Amino acid sequence: MEPIVIVGGDAAGLSAASKFKREHPERDVVVFEKGEYVSYAACGMPYYIKGAVEEFDDLLQVPPEKLIEDRDIDLRRYHEVVAIDTDAHEVTVDGPDGEFSQPYDQLLIATGARAIEPPFEGMELDGVHTLHSLDSAKAVHDAVRDESPSAVAIVGGGYVGIEMAEAFDAHDVEVHLFEMLPHVLAPFGEMVAEHVEEHLREVGVELHLETAVDGFSGTDGRLDGILAGDERYDVDLALVGVGVAPNAELASEAGIDVGETGAIATDEYGRTSADDVFAAGDCAESRHVVTGAPDYVPLALTANRAGRAIGQTMAGDPTPVGDIAGTAAVKAFDLEAARTGTIDEDEAREAGFDPVSITIKSRSRAHYYPGAEPIHITMVGDRDSNRVLGAAMVGREGVAKRIDTVAAAVHTETTVGELEYFDLSYAPPFSPTWDPVLVAAKVLNGKLD
């Protein structure tokens, strides 16, 4: 029998490989990875640049030797799959010794995503960076350490932009953050964004909202400024973090369906339109648990969970990859921001709901216990079904994990009334008697009635 072949050696790919090998240790599993690094913590890269993660190797989760020797996975780094023939059940691989064909029994495409590089003038200048691979993280880390920049421009106010503002600030660098939209962290909603923006200004980040970047200027091939909003700002390092794009070209060129999001279309088991071919991770679509529509939210848990499920399906036990709610948290200096489900009322209406939203202010601990901090929550419910559709939160503590309670309610189609009566834990150092989530549900339920 031909081997299981996996394209991509990070979260989804290696989760699938490891799960399949546990179920069928006698079968061959070949993992092709075009780069040097496998099984790494991409989400930790800003904290490595900041200095909170001291060693580069700390970002490497499972050494290649362990994958090969302990898990008996045929891992081949520096091997790029350049074509897939779904009729012949084989892939074409470009390796150190040239091209060759590799037959497969079943195939998983886990090619991930790449940082979007806008067509800005000056993107090629030394000092202009993106951040998605470990190589890029090391390049930014070394530039901060070796070049001691005095001013940095960040383009994009999403996860990467906010986390990198904190990372650069830790090195006493003047930070300019440019966002073409009215607010940072657009998926988190206006309430969260405004609190984060206020805090960013308090800590000294120069925000340039509703400001489109035109390009970069340089001298002798080296960055010396950013051009934005009819102004020029002196900077000696720039990070472009405007999002990622799925690496779906390999699948598309093989005739495999790509969805409207630009990622590879899959069913509930991660199967693509081609027989015996699966896709997972940052290159693949998922189904949104609220809207029921295909969505593209590239996050670490989604990739790991889908990869493991596909490994089990390949092994003969069909296992759904699971729906997504877009649950996410981000650290913005001293603030925590989090979101789950559908919080945009227009999106909810498009999905057939009659959304109602409320915003409340509560506290992270009992009011009399030292250190209690405000928590602001926006929660959205459906007037017709009373179902919890989503929530967004912001505060200095107790936010990043509280969102998980709402995520659980979203996944189980819990009603707002039911959430109001969840038996959540209480102790003065951790929560008021009525947890902020319960307060939000209570207020929202009253409005839905």
Side-chain angles (χ1 to χ4, degrees):
M1 184 177 290
E2 301 296 354
I4 298 296
V5 172
I6 295 172
V7 187
D10 199 16
L14 290 177
S15 292
S18 299
K19 181 58 180 176
F20 184 90
K21 285 294 290 188
R22 282 195 294 271
E23 300 298 320
H24 291 291
E26 77 285 357
R27 292 285 306 277
D28 291 332
V29 176
V30 181
V31 177
F32 293 113
E33 167 55 50
K34 70 177 183 179
E36 175 181 0
Y37 302 109
V38 297
S39 186
Y40 60 87
C43 297
M45 294 189 301
Y47 304 106
Y48 166 63
I49 295 167
K50 177 182 177 180
V53 177
E54 293 185 3
E55 299 296 332
F56 179 77
D57 287 350
D58 290 341
L59 298 175
L60 306 176
Q61 297 177 305
V62 182
E65 297 76 16
K66 183 177 179 66
L67 294 166
I68 296 169
E69 297 169 9
D70 295 355
R71 301 189 187 180
D72 193 27
I73 294 171
D74 185 359
L75 172 63
R76 305 187 198 180
R77 294 181 292 166
Y78 310 108
H79 284 72
E80 181 178 7
V81 173
V82 295
I84 300 169
D85 188 332
T86 59
D87 293 327
H89 267 53
E90 67 178 23
V91 297
T92 301
V93 186
D94 186 5
D97 298 323
E99 282 194 356
F100 63 93
S101 295
Q102 171 65 61
Y104 63 82
D105 175 40
Q106 298 179 88
L107 174 70
L108 170 60
I109 303 171
T111 45
R114 62 188 180 278
I116 295 173
E117 296 191 12
F120 294 148
E121 181 181 351
M123 278 292 292
E124 77 288 350
L125 292 168
D126 288 342
V128 178
H129 300 266
T130 59
L131 184 67
H132 192 68
S133 66
L134 282 191
D135 286 328
S136 64
K138 195 171 190 308
V140 177
H141 174 276
D142 292 351
V144 173
R145 180 194 62 192
D146 299 337
E147 298 166 14
S148 300
S150 58
V152 171
I154 299 171
V155 183
Y159 302 97
V160 170
I162 299 301
E163 292 170 349
M164 286 305 300
E166 180 178 340
F168 288 133
D169 181 79
H171 296 279
D172 295 324
V173 178
E174 180 183 313
V175 179
H176 294 264
L177 192 152
F178 297 85
E179 171 55 60
M180 67 182 299
L181 298 175
H183 294 288
V184 301
L185 294 177
F188 289 69
E190 186 173 331
M191 182 275 290
V192 169
E194 288 177 345
H195 283 280
V196 170
E197 289 159 7
E198 180 181 3
H199 186 54
L200 291 175
R201 293 186 179 102
E202 287 173 353
V203 297
V205 175
E206 292 286 338
L207 288 183
H208 307 269
L209 303 178
E210 296 185 275
T211 303
V213 170
D214 300 312
F216 303 100
S217 63
T219 303
D220 297 328
R222 175 72 196 179
L223 173 74
D224 61 17
I226 182 170
L227 310 172
D230 298 323
E231 298 286 343
R232 181 188 178 281
Y233 302 86
D234 291 335
V235 297
D236 36 20
L237 192 150
L239 181 80
V240 179
V242 296
V244 299
N247 292 324
E249 293 81 5
L250 181 66
S252 178
E253 290 167 2
I256 295 170
D257 289 349
V258 171
E260 292 184 7
T261 68
I264 302 169
T266 60
D267 70 5
E268 63 179 317
Y269 296 98
R271 293 179 295 220
T272 71
S273 61
D275 290 341
D276 300 319
V277 179
F278 299 78
D282 291 359
C283 65
E285 290 184 334
S286 299
R287 191 181 86 105
H288 197 282
V289 70
V290 176
T291 67
D295 203 353
Y296 180 64
V297 185
L299 295 171
L301 177 60
T302 303
N304 280 278
R305 186 183 63 179
R308 186 179 189 278
I310 289 170
Q312 194 155 321
T313 297
M314 286 177 157
D317 180 13
T319 305
V321 299
D323 293 340
I324 62 169
T327 309
V330 63
K331 182 177 181 294
F333 289 82
D334 299 322
L335 284 185
E336 300 174 12
R339 69 169 309 278
T340 191
T342 299
I343 59 173
D344 185 294
E345 292 193 22
D346 290 336
E347 267 184 30
R349 289 189 189 94
E350 288 177 11
F353 297 104
D354 183 6
V356 175
S357 65
I358 56 91
T359 297
I360 62 106
K361 178 181 178 182
S362 184
R363 286 185 171 273
S364 61
R365 312 179 187 187
H367 73 276
Y368 55 83
Y369 193 89
E373 294 284 352
I375 287 181
H376 299 262
I377 300 178
T378 293
M379 187 174 289
V380 183
D382 176 41
R383 188 183 299 277
D384 294 333
S385 65
N386 198 255
R387 179 182 170 185
V388 179
L389 300 182
M393 310 179 186
V394 64
R396 287 179 177 261
E397 67 169 15
V399 168
K401 298 311 292 181
R402 266 190 177 93
I403 199 67
D404 293 342
T405 301
V406 186
V410 168
H411 272 280
T412 54
E413 299 189 15
T414 297
T415 67
V416 178
E418 290 168 338
L419 177 58
E420 179 185 347
Y421 280 90
F422 271 22
D423 185 17
L424 302 185
S425 63
Y426 159 65
F430 307 120
S431 172
T433 306
W434 287 89
D435 188 90
V437 170
L438 303 180
V439 175
K442 180 179 180 181
V443 174
L444 178 57
N445 198 34
K447 191 171 181 181
L448 287 169
D449 288 343

